[in-house]
Amino acid sequence: MLEINYLRAIFSWDTIALIAMLLFIIFTCTKRINGNDGEHETKDPQEQSSVYGSNDRAAVSADKLLVALSDGADKRIHMNVSECLDRLDELVAHCNRMQDHKNTKKGNFDNRKYEQECQEKYIIYQEIVRLIFVKYSTNDEICISALTLLTIISNEEKVLERILYEADIYGINLPILVAKESLRRIRLLPDRELCYNSDNDEVEENQDWYAAELQKHTALFLGSLCNSCNSNDMATLAVDEGGLELILEAASFFRMHMSTLHWLMWALFTICFDNMNNKSHFIRLGGITKTCDVLTGIYDIVESSQDDVVPEKMMQTRRHATALLYDVLRNTETAVNNSHKMERLRAMAVNAGLHDVLLTSIKLCNDDAEAVDVYEMSREMLLGTGYSGVIPKSIHNIHWAQK
């Protein structure tokens, strides 16, 4: 009787339901570990993603982009601009999610396996970006989205290896060439009107806006790439591929576009920082004069009181431009060994209007409590280039020193 009650207890519906649930959990976990190998057999060929092991929206977007962009694609397979942008936005969002996941589980064994899967996805995304640059090189809007995706993944190990060792296919020369062509096209347009603020919704359809945004994203890509690498190799590569020429030309052309100038000046500083060869090339290209012109243009905007200029972006642009000049003119070990060259260089800077630019910058520092670093750099450059006049004192700098 006890055995019968025992068997009834074992085979009761509650127990059976519990066992079924446990078996389902075991089956699900096993399926995830094996990568859902059997699932692809029943899926629609267009919807499955054999390279990812999962059927998320990013995988579908990546596959459809690869099919539509490939050279041997069927003419019936067509993707319009709007759909292409939506697919790229999905890939960008997916990359951001992957980055967040890796950062939250750093050092975990499962995370290392996840990292390997991510690297496989990154190189597929890199191939998509390359195909877009080839097929949509004249469409600034699509190239901006592609550059955003490339910037996010550019510091990943596998992607970086292809940039360095497969430069003929995946090198930085391709995005630089796309940005140069965009700048050339916008220069040929008649009756061009430069917009002051890239956040203004009223100018989103303006071709100038898209061209300026493309230059900004190219600068973000180059600056991020050079800033993340431990050596100067990437910065030297950026200069060899014409990155400095592109950035200086864009800065001269979009001199009223604060959001673009901000990142152009940052990229210049990142490429030239602590790299004597790049600094020398920057000087040969007239970089000091062009940077002084950028600062002068900013001060003209301040005096004309343009209401649609974002002050924060203007301050950041001033900070990066001032830091760039300071780094080029400062006394380094190499500069001390070539003191005669540095004297001529500083004389060139003075002739380019450096003193007037720095004095104006110091005056503006009194209106901004966050500009102490700009004041200090400007003051040291004035002293180092032989300025004999009176250097105004910053009210905020005095308060900051007292603290």
Side-chain angles (χ1 to χ4, degrees):
M1 191 70 178
L2 289 173
E3 291 180 356
I4 293 173
N5 291 334
Y6 179 73
L7 289 173
R8 285 177 179 174
I10 291 177
F11 293 103
S12 65
W13 283 112
D14 292 339
T15 306
I16 292 172
L18 180 61
I19 294 172
M21 185 178 296
L22 289 173
L23 289 173
F24 177 78
I25 292 172
I26 293 171
F27 171 77
T28 305
C29 294
T30 306
K31 194 175 180 182
R32 287 181 180 176
I33 292 173
N34 293 332
N36 294 339
D37 293 332
E39 186 177 333
H40 295 294
E41 297 176 1
T42 58
K43 288 180 183 178
D44 182 72
Q46 243 184 352
E47 294 297 319
Q48 72 177 357
S49 178
S50 59
V51 294
Y52 297 96
S54 62
N55 189 28
D56 55 12
R57 288 181 299 174
V60 174
S61 294
D63 284 346
K64 288 191 174 182
L65 281 168
L66 282 173
V67 171
L69 295 170
S70 61
D71 294 334
D74 193 327
K75 291 183 179 180
R76 293 172 296 177
I77 302 175
H78 176 71
M79 183 176 291
N80 56 37
V81 173
S82 178
E83 184 181 359
C84 184
L85 288 171
D86 291 340
R87 299 292 182 186
L88 285 172
D89 289 343
E90 180 59 46
L91 296 188
V92 169
H94 185 235
C95 283
N96 287 328
R97 291 196 296 270
M98 287 193 292
Q99 295 285 348
D100 293 340
H101 181 82
K102 287 192 297 182
N103 292 334
T104 54
K105 296 187 177 181
K106 209 166 187 178
N108 190 299
F109 176 78
D110 293 336
N111 192 55
R112 290 198 295 271
K113 182 180 177 181
Y114 181 76
E115 172 68 24
Q116 293 177 352
E117 296 174 356
C118 290
Q119 292 295 331
E120 295 176 2
K121 297 177 186 180
Y122 291 146
I123 60 175
I124 293 171
Y125 292 174
Q126 187 181 21
E127 175 65 16
I128 291 172
V129 170
R130 184 189 71 82
L131 292 173
I132 285 175
F133 284 152
V134 172
K135 189 168 184 177
Y136 293 101
S137 60
T138 59
N139 190 312
D140 290 347
E141 189 177 6
I142 294 180
C143 288
I144 289 168
S145 295
L147 269 169
T148 302
L149 178 60
L150 183 60
T151 302
I152 295 173
I153 66 175
S154 60
N155 297 323
E156 300 297 333
E157 181 182 356
K158 298 295 183 181
V159 176
L160 196 57
E161 286 179 2
R162 297 174 94 183
I163 290 175
L164 289 172
Y165 304 117
E166 298 181 50
D168 54 333
I169 302 175
Y170 301 104
I172 62 175
N173 59 313
L174 190 55
I176 289 176
L177 181 61
V178 169
K180 282 184 176 180
E181 284 300 307
S182 173
L183 188 59
R184 184 188 64 81
R185 289 195 306 271
I186 202 67
R187 279 178 166 174
L188 297 177
L189 290 179
D191 301 325
R192 180 182 53 82
E193 294 181 0
L194 286 173
C195 55
Y196 288 87
N197 179 15
S198 63
D199 296 328
N200 189 349
D201 294 336
E202 296 178 358
V203 296
E204 285 189 357
E205 298 301 325
N206 193 312
Q207 285 182 289
D208 278 337
W209 188 87
Y210 283 119
E213 285 295 297
L214 182 60
Q215 302 305 318
K216 179 177 78 173
H217 281 77
T218 305
L220 268 167
F221 165 65
L222 293 175
S224 174
L225 207 57
C226 297
N227 192 46
S228 61
C229 295
N230 295 326
S231 65
N232 287 328
D233 294 343
M234 192 58 70
T236 301
L237 181 61
V239 172
D240 292 342
E241 296 295 346
L244 273 183
E245 290 91 335
L246 169 67
I247 296 173
L248 287 172
E249 288 176 12
S252 299
F253 190 76
F254 294 107
R255 57 192 178 277
M256 299 294 185
H257 199 292
M258 285 301 108
S259 179
T260 301
L261 279 177
H262 170 202
W263 293 110
L264 290 174
M265 291 297 106
W266 174 76
L268 280 176
F269 173 77
T270 304
I271 293 172
C272 293
F273 179 73
D274 210 19
N275 190 317
M276 201 61 195
N277 292 329
N278 289 359
K279 289 180 187 179
S280 300
H281 191 59
F282 171 79
I283 294 163
R284 285 194 295 270
L285 294 173
I288 293 177
T289 303
K290 292 177 181 179
T291 305
C292 288
D293 291 341
V294 167
L295 286 169
T296 303
I298 294 174
Y299 304 148
D300 291 341
I301 296 175
V302 174
E303 292 178 359
S304 60
S305 300
Q306 293 291 341
D307 295 332
D308 52 356
V309 177
V310 180
E312 182 181 354
K313 292 179 181 177
M314 186 181 297
M315 183 63 244
Q316 292 298 328
T317 306
R318 284 173 53 204
R319 178 174 283 112
H320 293 316
T322 305
L324 172 63
L325 292 173
Y326 180 81
D327 182 57
V328 171
L329 298 174
R330 69 189 174 99
N331 282 322
T332 60
E333 184 177 350
T334 307
V336 171
N337 296 332
N338 298 275
S339 57
H340 61 289
K341 292 184 180 179
M342 288 304 299
E343 289 177 2
R344 283 187 296 177
L345 174 60
R346 288 165 183 163
M348 288 170 52
V350 173
N351 293 333
L354 179 69
H355 286 173
D356 292 337
V357 167
L358 295 178
L359 288 171
T360 305
S361 180
I362 287 177
K363 291 177 182 177
L364 289 176
C365 287
N366 283 326
D367 299 328
D368 193 340
E370 302 296 327
V372 175
D373 53 346
V374 176
Y375 171 83
E376 288 293 336
M377 288 187 289
S378 300
R379 181 176 176 277
E380 288 192 31
M381 280 190 283
L382 286 172
L383 294 173
T385 53
Y387 179 70
S388 57
V390 178
I391 300 177
K393 293 183 178 181
S394 172
I395 299 173
H396 301 294
N397 187 61
I398 294 172
H399 291 304
W400 177 78
Q402 290 175 347
K403 291 180 183 179

